[in-house]
Amino acid sequence: MTTDHLARTPKPPYYAVIFTSVRTPGDGGYASMADRMVELAAEQPGYLGMESVRDAAGVGITVSYWTSEQAIADWKANAEHAAARDTGREHWYQAFELRVARVERAYGFLRPSGHTEHAP
Amino acid sequence: MTTDHLARTPKPPYYAVIFTSVRTPGDGGYASMADRMVELAAEQPGYLGMESVRDAAGVGITVSYWTSEQAIADWKANAEHAAARDTGREHWYQAFELRVARVERAYGFLRPSGHTEHAP
């Protein structure tokens, strides 16, 4: 299902954390940490979903969605998440920007079935 | 410069359009349209910057930044942009979600020089 890449968020308003980053070369434990953070975030109260893409050049955008600013603050305070952020600054990221935003409105499009589907 | 992938946005508040999409297979004029839309957006009043990533599976996230909701509405009303959106629904996109959000706060990180840089 291609639509698994899109978060199924509720009617706005809700909050988004937009994290744009450029990786340093090599893995150095990054991939397993990233998988773990996806898993851990999904367990947090107020989590609504996540969309994440990284290209071959190491540029990535991850957007996570949350019910409230408080839910974002609680996720930031999670000890395992804080440790991952520290290692990110030490090793994994060349640069990043993090933006917290309030989603005001949204709409989507899904191609009617019968058309070609993108390869998984 | 790796930081060219990150938009140099001003102090919040400002607005973000988060566009997450899944492509249909093949190009079909998509790449040249995408380049043109980046160029055209940058000419619009109220444009602040853009961050865009697409992976090999065809999943992409593009976030464009704007001074106001009015700037976003004006960009949406641009005739060339509207024609591109129509072709997107007809041909290029399997699915997408578009969210308009107000950026409330932001911070960034840039690795001090002397460390390794990511390959271009």
Side-chain angles (χ1 to χ4, degrees):
Chain A
M1 280 281 291
T2 57
T3 51
D4 283 357
H5 298 288
L6 307 180
R8 289 180 191 83
T9 41
K11 196 165 182 287
Y14 51 87
Y15 286 81
V17 178
I18 306 164
F19 181 73
T20 305
S21 63
V22 181
R23 286 270 288 111
T24 50
D27 183 69
Y30 174 78
S32 64
M33 175 284 298
D35 288 347
R36 173 61 183 149
M37 287 304 114
V38 169
E39 181 182 78
L40 192 62
E43 294 170 2
Q44 304 307 305
Y47 173 85
L48 294 175
M50 189 181 294
E51 295 166 341
S52 189
V53 178
R54 187 171 300 281
D55 68 17
V59 182
I61 301 177
T62 296
V63 189
S64 59
Y65 300 101
W66 303 87
T67 52
S68 66
E69 285 260 28
Q70 187 59 54
I72 294 169
D74 291 347
W75 168 230
K76 187 175 182 180
N78 177 283
E80 196 175 340
H81 183 204
R85 288 201 308 278
D86 287 347
T87 312
R89 288 171 187 266
E90 282 167 31
H91 298 293
W92 292 320
Y93 295 118
Q94 178 65 31
F96 66 72
E97 288 288 330
L98 184 146
R99 298 175 176 93
V100 177
R102 183 178 188 271
V103 178
E104 307 282 0
R105 52 198 172 83
Y107 62 88
F109 166 76
L110 177 61
R111 181 168 298 280
S113 58
H115 293 250
T116 55
E117 295 230 8
H118 200 281
Chain B
M1 278 283 291
T2 57
T3 51
D4 284 356
H5 299 288
L6 307 180
R8 291 182 191 80
T9 40
K11 195 165 183 288
Y14 51 87
Y15 286 81
V17 178
I18 306 165
F19 181 73
T20 306
S21 63
V22 181
R23 286 271 286 111
T24 50
D27 183 69
Y30 173 78
S32 65
M33 176 284 298
D35 288 350
R36 173 61 183 150
M37 286 304 115
V38 168
E39 181 181 80
L40 193 62
E43 294 170 0
Q44 304 308 304
Y47 173 86
L48 294 174
M50 188 181 293
E51 295 165 342
S52 189
V53 178
R54 188 170 300 279
D55 69 16
V59 182
I61 302 177
T62 296
V63 190
S64 59
Y65 300 101
W66 303 88
T67 53
S68 67
E69 285 260 29
Q70 186 59 54
I72 294 168
D74 291 346
W75 168 229
K76 187 175 182 181
N78 177 283
E80 195 175 341
H81 183 204
R85 288 201 308 277
D86 288 346
T87 311
R89 287 171 188 266
E90 283 167 31
H91 298 294
W92 293 321
Y93 296 117
Q94 178 64 32
F96 66 72
E97 289 288 330
L98 184 145
R99 298 174 176 95
V100 177
R102 182 179 189 270
V103 178
E104 308 282 1
R105 51 198 173 83
Y107 63 88
F109 167 76
L110 176 61
R111 181 166 298 280
S113 58
H115 292 250
T116 55
E117 296 230 6
H118 199 281

